[in-house]
Amino acid sequence: MFALVWLCFIQYAHAQNENFKLGGFLFDLAATLEVIYDDNINYAEYNPRWDIIIQPGISLNGRYQVSELNTLSVNVGIGYSKYLRTPELDSINNFLNINPDTEIAFTIFIDDVTIEFYDRLAYSVDASDAFGLNGAVVSSNPLDYGRFTNIAGVDVDWDLNDIVLFAGFSRMDIIPTSSTFDYTRRHDYSLVGGPRFLVADNLTLGVTATGSRNIYDENVNNNSWSWSAGPMAIWQASENLSFSGNIAYQEFYFDDTGSINDSSQPSGLVGAAAVSHRWSSVFEHSLSAAHSFNFGYLSNVDSVFSLTYAFNWRMNSKISPRGQAYWELGSDSGGSGFNALGFPVSTAENYSRYGIGVGIDYRLSTKITTSLDYAFTHKKSNLFNRSYYQNQVTLGLRYDF
């Protein structure tokens, strides 16, 4: 009897791309393994270090149909990193990977209103732009900038046929795992809202307004308020061609409680634009451009312009090449600290960075997919030991249960 029930479930689960059940949850489970060669794990201009990194992991996507209209979903991606040449990096600061799409979400439908409560958790290590801080001494290219990013909030959409009113509130917490980066621990409270208008079947116009409050735990960086407002548009020009874009005026109000010597009050236009084109049934590509103000490490903000091209090619049922190329230009609003000799040094970085990445997926069977990727990055900075070259080769394996 048990075997018969299990067989019936397996048939249902496969029909929904899910492969096991836990209570009322249906799950899709996959295991991954990556072997990475990195010729500059410390993002260094001088004395770069290379290593081979082993990264096993799992991804788990689940849903629970609470009622006909209410759904609880869980998406988890977690992995482990083992450094073969530098085992000292196998610590809490570096060994863990939690994908940015890891979340728990609960969706409620009430007539024309959709309400989603969510909590999104990520853990990452990226020393490419981080400054370390030991007391008042600034260091560059640290290897242990691990941090948790948790975003909890609620989004509401009210569908009035040709008009959709949306609003959201969220809190984001950045939690570093090394005392060298305790100064980056912060909490951001954000409000967003506005209307979207269905002007035509293929054209949506709208306005988006935001407001936020950013607070640091330590008095190194400056706390701030900010707001932005501006239009957005989505145009499905044809079945194979679409455009999207948004632009807004953003203004910051920073206090002077920090010790970074940055008194700037940045403001200006931010936004993004993208065009996506399906060349054929097997080839699609996109081009996007963006400008944003991001909170700096030892500055109020980092102004970043970026341009990205990406493509995906489903060559046949087994082989799928893909790739991307990007360029970005960044500029800090100010900031300073002290070097190891006690002399003041500027932490206001101006940099350019470009990179390319190409890869190919090969489907061995319905359950097993292999991949091979190559990525190259070059950053050029005005600050000492902040420029670097980096090459990465990744061999991947994925098994869908």
Side-chain angles (χ1 to χ4, degrees), residues 22 31 41 213 272 344:
L22 182 62
I41 61 171
R213 171 63 168 162

Side-chain angles (χ1 to χ4, degrees), residues 142-171:
L143 289 173
D144 58 353
Y145 183 34
R147 74 271 194 195
F148 288 95
T149 301
N150 190 77
I151 305 175
V154 57
D155 290 333
V156 180
D157 281 7
W158 185 12
D159 190 346
L160 301 172
N161 295 323
D162 293 341
I163 301 175
V164 175
L165 303 178
F166 66 95
F169 173 77
S170 65
R171 167 174 166 154

Side-chain angles (χ1 to χ4, degrees), residues 25-321:
F25 270 97
L26 297 175
F27 286 102
D28 179 23
L29 176 65
T32 60
L33 176 64
E34 291 185 336
V35 180
I36 304 169
Y37 167 77
D38 189 331
D39 70 352
N40 194 351
I41 61 171
N42 54 333
Y43 302 90
E45 183 175 4
Y46 306 103
N47 301 315
R49 301 168 65 180
W50 70 271
D51 209 333
I52 295 175
I53 308 161
I54 311 296
Q55 289 187 342
I58 61 168
S59 65
L60 185 67
N61 300 317
R63 62 181 178 86
Y64 179 71
Q65 200 70 35
V66 179
S67 69
E68 185 178 346
L69 297 178
N70 304 330
T71 304
L72 178 64
S73 61
V74 177
N75 300 307
V76 176
I78 189 167
Y80 167 81
S81 297
K82 173 63 180 176
Y83 292 77
L84 298 186
R85 294 189 71 242
T86 51
E88 62 270 21
L89 295 182
D90 298 338
S91 68
I92 185 60
N93 299 323
N94 284 277
F95 84 99
L96 184 65
N97 300 292
I98 300 178
N99 295 342
D101 58 355
T102 295
E103 73 167 5
I104 297 175
F106 183 52
T107 304
I108 302 173
F109 296 92
I110 305 174
D111 294 329
D112 298 325
V113 177
T114 303
I115 305 173
E116 182 183 46
F117 300 90
Y118 61 85
D119 191 282
R120 298 165 185 156
L121 176 67
Y123 182 86
S124 59
V125 177
D126 182 5
S128 61
D129 293 323
F131 284 104
L133 199 62
N134 293 301
V137 177
V138 175
S139 63
S140 62
N141 292 315
L143 289 173
D144 58 353
Y145 183 34
R147 74 271 194 195
F148 288 95
T149 301
N150 190 77
I151 305 175
V154 57
D155 290 333
V156 180
D157 281 7
W158 185 12
D159 190 346
L160 301 172
N161 295 323
D162 293 341
I163 301 175
V164 175
L165 303 178
F166 66 95
F169 173 77
S170 65
R171 167 174 166 154
M172 179 175 67
D173 298 292
I174 305 293
I175 305 171
T177 56
S178 169
S179 59
T180 305
F181 297 97
D182 277 349
Y183 78 94
T184 66
R185 187 186 302 266
R186 64 185 180 91
H187 315 281
D188 186 274
Y189 302 86
S190 297
L191 282 169
V192 61
R196 292 192 294 264
F197 305 93
L198 184 61
V199 179
D201 289 342
N202 64 342
L203 178 62
T204 300
L205 302 178
V207 176
T208 303
T210 70
S212 69
R213 171 63 168 162
N214 186 60
I215 301 173
Y216 289 92
D217 281 3
E218 296 190 359
N219 293 327
V220 176
N221 287 298
N222 296 315
N223 299 330
S224 66
W225 294 88
S226 71
W227 67 271
S228 70
M232 56 78 65
I234 301 173
W235 179 35
Q236 189 70 42
S238 69
E239 183 180 354
N240 298 319
L241 182 65
S242 64
F243 298 88
S244 63
N246 63 82
I247 189 170
Y249 179 80
Q250 186 172 23
E251 192 162 78
F252 289 86
Y253 305 94
F254 283 91
D255 60 28
D256 58 358
T257 58
S259 60
I260 58 173
N261 296 317
D262 186 354
S263 59
S264 64
Q265 304 292 338
S267 62
L269 294 177
V270 296
V275 54
S276 299
H277 179 224
R278 181 181 298 170
W279 188 283
S280 68
S281 60
V282 297
F283 186 87
E284 55 189 13
H285 57 154
S286 64
L287 180 66
S288 61
H291 173 239
S292 63
F293 290 123
N294 307 319
F295 289 109
Y297 287 101
L298 289 171
S299 65
N300 283 344
V301 299
D302 180 20
S303 174
V304 181
F305 293 89
S306 64
L307 187 66
T308 304
Y309 170 79
F311 75 88
N312 283 285
W313 180 18
R314 294 176 296 278
M315 185 181 297
N316 55 45
S317 61
K318 290 185 176 293
I319 301 175
S320 299

Side-chain angles (χ1 to χ4, degrees), residues 327-386:
W327 170 84
E328 65 181 28
L329 188 67
S331 178
D332 283 328
S333 58
S336 66
F338 296 91
N339 62 19
L341 299 177
F343 295 106
V345 293
S346 172
T347 56
E349 185 174 25
N350 298 312
Y351 69 89
S352 63
R353 177 164 39 209
Y354 68 89
I356 59 170
V358 291
I360 187 168
D361 295 330
Y362 184 78
R363 195 173 184 87
L364 292 174
S365 68
T366 56
K367 293 182 176 293
I368 302 175
T369 303
T370 61
S371 61
L372 180 64
D373 292 85
Y374 168 74
F376 169 79
T377 305
H378 176 214
K379 176 184 175 183
K380 186 175 182 180
S381 171
N382 65 310
L383 299 182
F384 174 75
N385 204 27
R386 299 278 291 179

